[in-house]
């Protein structure tokens, strides 16, 4: 028994939404596939994740048309994962603090 109480053992409970889908990291590129709450005009658009929270699986996106919206994880499909080399703009930081 080499593990201790403080040792990480994989994803935390907060890393998943209510349906068990993993939350998407910031800068993940996604396409809106839609669910029963999604407006039809948003389906098919691509965007980038700005923020995600576990309760309800809500993700804040910056869409390709310049609009910002909030959608649930089950309404999104991943196009590409972040590389880790993305830079946060001042606009991203202000938006994250305001929410």
């Amino acid at each position: 028994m080499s593990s201790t109480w403080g040792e990480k053992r994989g994803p935390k409970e907060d890393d998943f939404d209510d349906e068990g889908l993993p939350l998407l990291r910031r800068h993940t590129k996604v396409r809106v596939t839609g669910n029963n709450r999604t407006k039809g005009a948003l389906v098919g658009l691509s965007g980038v994740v700005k923020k995600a929270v576990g309760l309800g699986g809500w993700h804040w996106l910056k869409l390709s048309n310049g609009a910002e919206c909030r959608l649930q994880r089950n309404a999104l499909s991943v196009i590409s994962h972040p590389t880790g080399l993305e830079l946060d703009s001042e606009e991203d930081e202000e938006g994250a603090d305001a929410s």
Side-chain angles (χ1 to χ4, degrees), residues 32 39 61 92:
V32 179
K39 294 181 182 177
L61 306 175
D92 287 344

Side-chain angles (χ1 to χ4, degrees), residues 3-81:
S3 65
T4 63
W5 285 102
E7 187 177 324
K8 282 192 167 186
R9 292 186 158 270
K12 298 180 296 194
E13 186 176 317
D14 294 343
D15 292 341
F16 295 90
D17 70 3
D18 294 339
E19 296 179 3
L21 292 171
L23 293 178
L24 301 175
R25 292 181 43 207
R26 196 170 185 182
H27 301 295
T28 301
K29 293 179 184 174
V30 296
R31 180 165 318 281
V32 179
T33 54
N35 64 13
N36 62 340
R37 297 179 183 210
T38 308
K39 294 181 182 177
L42 299 177
V43 175
L45 293 177
S46 59
V48 177
V49 175
K50 292 177 65 175
K51 176 183 168 182
V53 295
L55 187 60
W58 291 101
H59 290 66
W60 282 256
L61 306 175
K62 176 80 171 195
L63 298 173
S64 56
N65 65 2
E68 294 184 8
C69 68
R70 181 182 78 161
L71 294 170
Q72 289 182 301
R73 170 62 178 96
N74 64 358
L76 305 171
S77 62
V78 176
I79 296 173
S80 66
H81 293 281

Side-chain angles (χ1 to χ4, degrees), residues 76-98:
L76 305 171
S77 62
V78 176
I79 296 173
S80 66
H81 293 281
T83 61
L85 303 175
E86 297 84 4
L87 298 175
D88 291 332
S89 67
E90 289 181 20
E91 181 180 298
D92 287 344
E93 293 298 326
E94 291 171 9
D97 293 343

